[in-house]
Amino acid sequence: MSLITFDLQQEYAVKTGESARNSLLLALNTAINGTGKYPHTYVHGDPGIGKSFELDLILNKCPWPFTKISGETSMFAYGLELAVLTMNNPTGKIVVVHDDQDMLLKNPENIDIAKTMLDGDKKFSYNKHIGGVIKNCTGAQRKAFQRFANPNGPGYTVPTDRFVMIFLSNIQLPTKNDMRAFKDKTSAKYTKMRGLEAIRSRVMPLDLKLDQKSIWGWVANATLTQNVVNNLVNDDIKMLILDWMWNNLEDLNELSIRTVIKMAEQYVQDPANHKNVWSNTWLDR
């Protein structure tokens, strides 16, 4: 039994965090293993709470081929990734994870492509001249381009009816109420937001709106139930870390699963002086 126990407020925060985690796990499992008309899922939540961590747990058991796309990439390169996946996996689902990768939603042109990809014609179309860019592609990419090249024009088209698209993002898709609040309906921002609202209608949206205590509860629940720092510290030290974070919640400059891992590493490096190390690293004072 741990030397540290949570009080009632902490226990309530852990329950709230657990509920939010379960909502995420259900949404991701439904997207990957479900058979609904709208399999795509868009998860919006605070950075660092562990969206990617939770998804990786599910992908480890995913029966379908999958890929994760993150960081900046061009629409041309993105489409080629879909083309290669389709070529190499001629049957069954294909799961594509967009991890804090908001290129598809960057501007109205890209949003229109995403809308068609997610619903309606269910295809990704790149209709621009590519010049000599294809020469710099891999052999598999060139082969996929040749297979899906548009016969009567530039570019290529990839069918997306077998794709399950999962978005993990810090950007919240607007609702109808958000759109009604816009005063200038002629602005470029309004045009983009209308497109994002259309994306919301084509996916299963999950908005994880959590306060600081609930985020701590999420992190605590994940730390205590998953293999987050088991290779570094025992259960007593996990509780020590989480309790310290709770008692310094207002001054923490970072609150995430990554924070727990870093604090565990610091404890291992200097167990006798860990509180001073934590204070100097993680508190804004």
Side-chain angles (χ1 to χ4, degrees):
M1 183 176 179
S2 174
L3 299 176
I4 296 175
T5 58
F6 290 152
D7 62 26
L8 291 178
Q9 277 194 325
Q10 290 171 309
E11 289 287 355
Y12 180 78
V14 171
K15 289 293 183 183
T16 303
E18 180 182 21
S19 177
R21 281 190 67 225
N22 287 340
S23 295
L24 174 61
L25 294 173
L26 176 62
L28 296 176
N29 270 309
T30 300
I32 292 173
N33 300 310
T35 58
K37 182 178 179 181
Y38 297 101
H40 315 297
T41 293
Y42 188 101
V43 179
H44 159 254
D46 292 288
I49 58 175
K51 301 185 294 293
S52 301
F53 173 81
E54 304 295 351
L55 178 59
D56 286 342
L57 295 178
I58 296 175
L59 290 178
N60 287 337
K61 302 177 182 178
C62 180
W64 314 106
F66 65 86
T67 189
K68 293 179 71 174
I69 301 174
S70 59
E72 287 294 323
T73 187
S74 68
M75 291 296 279
F76 173 73
Y78 172 81
L80 276 187
E81 177 112 20
L82 301 185
V84 171
L85 283 167
T86 303
M87 179 181 68
N88 291 341
N89 302 280
T91 61
K93 287 183 183 180
I94 303 172
V95 178
V96 179
V97 177
H98 307 77
D99 192 357
D100 287 336
Q101 202 283 334
D102 301 309
M103 169 271 305
L104 271 177
L105 311 177
K106 189 174 183 179
N107 55 53
E109 181 183 6
N110 289 9
I111 291 171
D112 283 342
I113 293 173
K115 283 158 57 178
T116 304
M117 184 177 68
L118 296 171
D119 198 14
D121 291 340
K122 292 190 176 179
K123 63 182 180 181
F124 174 95
S125 296
Y126 187 89
N127 299 320
K128 298 179 181 179
H129 290 281
I130 63 170
V133 176
I134 196 68
K135 295 179 182 178
N136 299 321
C137 295
T138 66
Q141 289 172 330
R142 289 196 295 270
K143 185 177 179 181
F145 173 77
Q146 292 169 356
R147 176 169 177 178
F148 296 106
N150 295 328
N152 300 314
Y156 60 96
T157 298
V158 184
T160 59
D161 55 303
R162 294 191 292 116
F163 281 93
V164 173
M165 303 293 187
I166 297 175
F167 299 84
L168 306 180
S169 179
N170 303 327
I171 298 174
Q172 185 173 7
L173 296 176
T175 64
K176 289 191 179 297
N177 286 337
D178 294 327
M179 299 309 297
R180 292 191 190 102
F182 263 89
K183 295 180 179 179
D184 183 4
K185 292 182 169 54
T186 63
S187 65
K189 183 177 181 180
Y190 178 77
T191 300
K192 178 179 178 180
M193 294 296 279
R194 277 190 62 188
L196 293 178
E197 182 199 9
I199 295 294
R200 188 181 184 95
S201 72
R202 288 163 168 78
V203 299
M204 285 292 200
L206 176 62
D207 295 315
L208 297 168
K209 300 177 182 179
L210 305 173
D211 59 21
Q212 282 289 91
K213 290 182 178 180
S214 298
I215 294 174
W216 176 89
W218 176 306
V219 170
N221 182 258
T223 300
L224 296 174
T225 61
Q226 303 298 328
N227 185 18
V228 176
V229 289
N230 288 1
N231 62 320
L232 293 170
V233 295
N234 60 29
D235 288 346
D236 284 334
I237 306 306
K238 291 180 194 175
M239 293 290 287
L240 180 69
I241 291 170
L242 293 169
D243 190 61
W244 186 90
M245 293 173 73
W246 174 269
N247 290 325
N248 293 280
L249 204 54
E250 292 185 1
D251 297 315
L252 279 181
N253 56 40
E254 180 182 314
L255 177 56
S256 68
I257 290 177
R258 297 186 190 97
T259 314
V260 173
I261 296 172
K262 294 172 188 176
M263 290 178 66
E265 291 174 345
Q266 289 176 323
Y267 181 90
V268 171
Q269 292 167 3
D270 193 357
N273 194 42
H274 66 275
K275 288 188 177 180
N276 286 333
V277 174
W278 290 348
S279 295
N280 290 334
T281 308
W282 305 111
L283 298 185
D284 284 333
R285 287 179 175 171

